[in-house]
């Protein structure tokens, strides 16, 4: 049986969330030391790869997961060359994040989550997240004491509590936190909870609800939500991946081929729209990661019928 909310008090502590950015964006990447990013603006991926999630750590390497067979791909941002990290399990890889221990936390749609060694490609652990169907583990966010997953088909967040030294939990320790408050779930197989990150001050989580275009501030202990006041910039139509750098929030809107940029209040209760980033090379980008002053977005090409020969790419634009 999963622990109750009370038994998860330490991983859900304010202090744990306050330092979450170090785990999410400051990870040391596996491979060579970081160098100046001067690579191509459009980086091709293997034909038929079907990318969705992207994560970048402290070095010039991005990791991407395939919606097709679930394989994981490492991309050198300087040269555009790539290598297979882990052959797919035959089920989708959606959102993913890299921690400073060289572990990839992967959302696996109906198959829950898995943790993969980014060096060897070994699957270190697998976790069934939902006890209800349908389920769609979509995106993941790392804090020092937990890995957080959204479910696009169920009004719940999942947390995997991590040990003091990053130890992975057992398979029966998933914490399920129902979303309440202002959250109104659209029933059926409609994309609800999608991208996830934290507030600038680390006091709460932020989750975008794609189908209705609302950014929610979520209490990580109770699951109570409230819409973030974004003024006239709302709604965030087809909101997908989220990236927080300081108080700047980047929101990918996939079928809009755009990234909206906001300055958030420290507690994440409100935000001011600053600008919209678009690029002619965008073709339904889904998620976003940053390295050395640039953003990197995989083109999922959801409006194109996927085949083994369909081309895919990662697009780089200035922050």
């Amino acid at each position: 049986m999963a622990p109750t909310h009370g038994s998860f008090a330490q991983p859900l502590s304010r202090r744990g969330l306050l330092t979450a950015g170090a785990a999410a964006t400051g990870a040391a990447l596996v491979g060579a030391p970081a160098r100046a990013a001067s690579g191509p603006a459009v980086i091709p991926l293997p034909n038929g790869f079907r990318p969705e999630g992207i994560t970048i750590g402290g070095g010039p390497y991005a990791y991407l997961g395939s919606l097709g067979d679930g394989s994981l791909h490492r991309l050198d941002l300087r040269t555009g060359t790539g290598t297979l990290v882990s052959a797919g399990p035959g089920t989708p890889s959606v959102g993913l994040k890299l921690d400073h221990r060289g572990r990839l936390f992967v959302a696996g749609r109906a198959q829950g989550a898995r943790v993969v060694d980014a060096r060897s490609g070994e699957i270190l652990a697998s976790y069934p997240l939902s006890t209800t169907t349908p389920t769609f583990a979509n995106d993941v966010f790392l804090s020092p004491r937990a890995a957080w997953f959204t479910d696009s088909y169920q009004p719940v967040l999942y947390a995997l509590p991590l040990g003091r030294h990053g130890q992975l939990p057992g398979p029966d320790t998933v914490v399920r936190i129902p979303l309440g408050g202002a959250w109104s779930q659209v029933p059926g197989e409609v994309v609800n909870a999608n991208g996830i990150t934290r507030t600038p001050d680390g006091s709460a989580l932020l989750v975008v609800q794609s189908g209705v275009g609302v950014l929610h501030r979520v209490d990580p202990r109770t699951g109570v939500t409230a819409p973030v006041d974004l003024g006239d910039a709302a709604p965030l139509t087809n909101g997908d991946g989220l990236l927080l750098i300081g108080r700047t929030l980047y929101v990918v809107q996939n079928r809009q081929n755009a990234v909206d940029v906001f300055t958030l209040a420290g507690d994440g209760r409100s935000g001011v729209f600053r600008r919209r980033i678009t690029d002619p090379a965008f073709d339904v980008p889904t998620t976003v990661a940053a390295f050395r002053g640039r953003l990197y977005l995989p083109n999922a090409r959801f409006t194109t019928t996927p085949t083994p020969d369909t081309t895919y790419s990662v697009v780089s634009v200035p922050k």
Side-chain angles (χ1 to χ4, degrees):
M1 179 180 296
T4 63
H5 296 177
S7 67
F8 198 46
Q10 190 173 12
L12 291 179
S13 69
R14 179 182 175 88
R15 183 177 180 183
L17 284 174
L18 279 170
T19 54
T25 61
L29 265 191
V30 181
R35 301 178 188 175
S38 57
V42 178
I43 306 174
L45 293 168
N47 287 0
F49 184 75
R50 298 180 61 194
E52 207 279 351
I54 187 170
T55 182
I56 302 172
Y61 298 97
Y63 291 82
L64 298 105
S66 168
L67 286 175
D69 64 1
S71 60
L72 303 176
H73 188 76
R74 187 177 81 166
L75 200 62
D76 189 322
L77 301 176
R78 301 161 301 179
T79 65
T81 58
T83 57
L84 179 69
V85 171
S86 176
T91 55
S93 292
V94 198
L96 70 164
K97 291 294 185 295
L98 178 74
D99 73 2
H100 70 282
R101 294 176 172 83
R103 302 179 300 191
L104 289 163
F105 289 74
V106 184
R109 197 160 177 148
Q111 283 66 43
R114 69 187 190 280
V115 183
V116 179
D117 188 311
R119 298 174 180 87
S120 67
E122 176 189 0
I123 297 177
L124 303 175
S126 296
Y127 301 93
L129 297 178
S130 180
T131 58
T132 307
T133 57
T135 180
F136 181 172
N138 195 329
D139 206 358
V140 56
F141 168 73
L142 298 180
S143 72
R145 300 302 299 274
W148 299 85
F149 293 84
T150 57
D151 189 329
S152 291
Y153 291 166
Q154 298 294 330
V156 63
L157 295 181
Y158 309 108
L160 299 179
L162 304 176
R164 185 175 299 276
H165 302 290
Q167 300 96 322
L168 297 175
D172 298 324
T173 56
V174 177
V175 178
R176 299 172 177 90
I177 303 173
L179 295 173
W183 191 271
S184 180
Q185 183 81 1
V186 180
E189 296 188 4
V190 175
V191 177
N192 284 272
N194 197 334
I196 181 171
T197 186
R198 64 177 176 94
T199 59
D201 67 3
S203 62
L205 296 166
L206 297 171
V207 175
V208 65
Q209 189 177 8
S210 293
V212 295
V214 175
L215 182 67
H216 293 265
R217 183 183 187 274
V218 185
D219 186 314
R221 292 183 180 85
T222 65
V224 172
T225 78
V228 178
D229 182 2
L230 298 178
D232 294 338
L236 299 171
T237 306
N238 300 128
D240 203 326
L242 302 180
L243 174 65
L244 181 74
I245 301 176
R247 289 177 55 191
T248 301
L249 180 69
Y250 298 87
V251 183
V252 182
Q253 293 171 265
N254 54 43
R255 292 176 189 261
Q256 272 52 52
N257 288 311
V259 182
D260 280 0
V261 185
F262 298 88
T263 300
L264 295 182
D267 61 8
R269 297 182 188 276
S270 63
V272 176
F273 175 77
R274 296 303 182 188
R275 60 195 173 99
R276 168 166 282 200
I277 300 172
T278 60
D279 192 276
F282 284 169
D283 193 349
V284 195
T286 45
T287 51
V288 58
F291 180 70
R292 295 290 180 91
R294 297 190 69 83
L295 302 175
Y296 293 84
L297 301 96
N299 277 332
R301 306 195 69 190
F302 288 153
T303 57
T304 300
T305 301
T307 74
D309 297 320
T310 302
T311 58
Y312 294 95
S313 62
V314 173
V315 178
S316 171
V317 295
K319 286 198 298 189

